[in-house]
Amino acid sequence: HKKTHKLLRSADGLRIQSIYSTVKGRAFFQILSPLSLPNLCHAVFIEPNAGPDGQAFRADKWPEMQSLTISKGNLLPLGGFPKLVQLYIDSPRTNGRVPMYTALNLLEFLAGCRSLQYVYLRGVASSDIPLVRLSTTKVALPRLRRFSCIDTYRDPEINARNGAFYHALLTVLSFPSTCVVRIGELYTSELRTFFPLVGLHGGTKS
């Protein structure tokens, strides 16, 4: 980790455009979060952990970020990436005593990523993310082309929670009528509830 940290802080590190990191737990926060990487465009983080008390890195330190994957971690950037086009979050989970970010934190992050075209959330609704009361303020993603929120469970209780998560998220998000929305899995009885949330109103989903 010390060699990695030294490289990233060097002049060569400032030219880095892509990162694939398997640095796990708090070591991720300690090594990567303090760094300013002005040319970083693409990042994949496997099992990253936030810092003490859920601290996360500031998005403005990586201003050129265009694609971001966060898998099996509890880390979410503070602020948003104005140039982010693709976001993939897979199976968020807590690690030790560090708290998980909330659904409201996720929406606040999305609000700062207005260039997003592709959002893939896998295993997010059934994760440890608390579904706290969300703001009624709309989160606009004017360039969104595809939104996927996928969880596959046969347990009725888990599916009920997943449905509540999807409903809360789609109630707040606003995106173009041309956006392809994929939600899974829902029971047939739930479909009627979700149809208005992806309806067309003046060219956008509102």
Side-chain angles (χ1 to χ4, degrees):
H1 294 336
K2 290 183 178 179
K3 290 182 179 179
T4 302
H5 194 234
K6 184 177 181 180
L7 171 64
L8 291 172
R9 294 184 68 89
S10 68
D12 289 333
L14 295 178
R15 293 196 292 268
I16 289 176
Q17 296 184 6
S18 300
I19 286 181
Y20 185 99
S21 170
T22 57
V23 178
K24 301 178 181 179
R26 292 182 62 180
F28 175 91
F29 179 79
Q30 295 166 348
I31 292 174
L32 288 174
S33 66
L35 298 177
S36 293
L37 299 174
N39 294 304
L40 183 64
C41 297
H42 312 284
V44 176
F45 300 134
I46 309 299
E47 296 187 43
N49 210 22
D53 301 321
Q55 296 171 349
F57 63 87
R58 287 170 42 196
D60 59 2
K61 291 190 174 186
W62 303 349
E64 297 298 317
M65 186 70 75
Q66 296 175 27
S67 69
L68 174 65
T69 295
I70 303 175
S71 178
K72 300 177 182 178
N74 69 342
L75 182 75
L76 197 66
L78 293 174
F81 296 112
K83 298 183 180 180
L84 191 68
V85 174
Q86 179 170 306
L87 173 67
Y88 180 54
I89 299 180
D90 178 24
S91 306
R93 62 189 183 194
T94 56
N95 189 336
R97 297 181 179 179
V98 180
M100 174 62 72
Y101 58 83
T102 68
L104 180 59
N105 297 143
L106 175 59
L107 282 170
E108 290 172 344
F109 173 65
L110 292 175
C113 303
R114 289 179 55 85
S115 295
L116 273 170
Q117 296 183 30
Y118 305 96
V119 175
Y120 302 96
L121 306 179
R122 181 177 181 272
V124 173
S126 56
S127 70
D128 297 323
I129 294 180
L131 185 57
V132 297
R133 184 178 179 83
L134 303 181
S135 170
T136 56
T137 303
K138 292 290 185 179
V139 173
L141 299 176
R143 300 182 183 179
L144 198 63
R145 300 176 64 182
R146 183 175 293 271
F147 178 84
S148 297
C149 194
I150 306 301
D151 290 76
T152 304
Y153 282 93
R154 296 299 180 185
D155 185 300
E157 291 187 7
I158 295 178
N159 267 345
R161 183 195 185 281
N162 293 352
F165 184 93
Y166 303 147
H167 191 280
L169 211 60
L170 289 170
T171 299
V172 178
L173 289 177
S174 176
F175 44 76
S177 61
T178 52
C179 178
V180 176
V181 179
R182 182 184 178 192
I183 303 174
E185 289 181 356
L186 295 174
Y187 291 117
T188 305
S189 59
E190 297 176 296
L191 292 177
R192 185 174 298 177
T193 304
F194 282 85
F195 284 154
L197 298 178
V198 293
L200 309 182
H201 302 282
T204 62
K205 197 292 296 181
S206 62

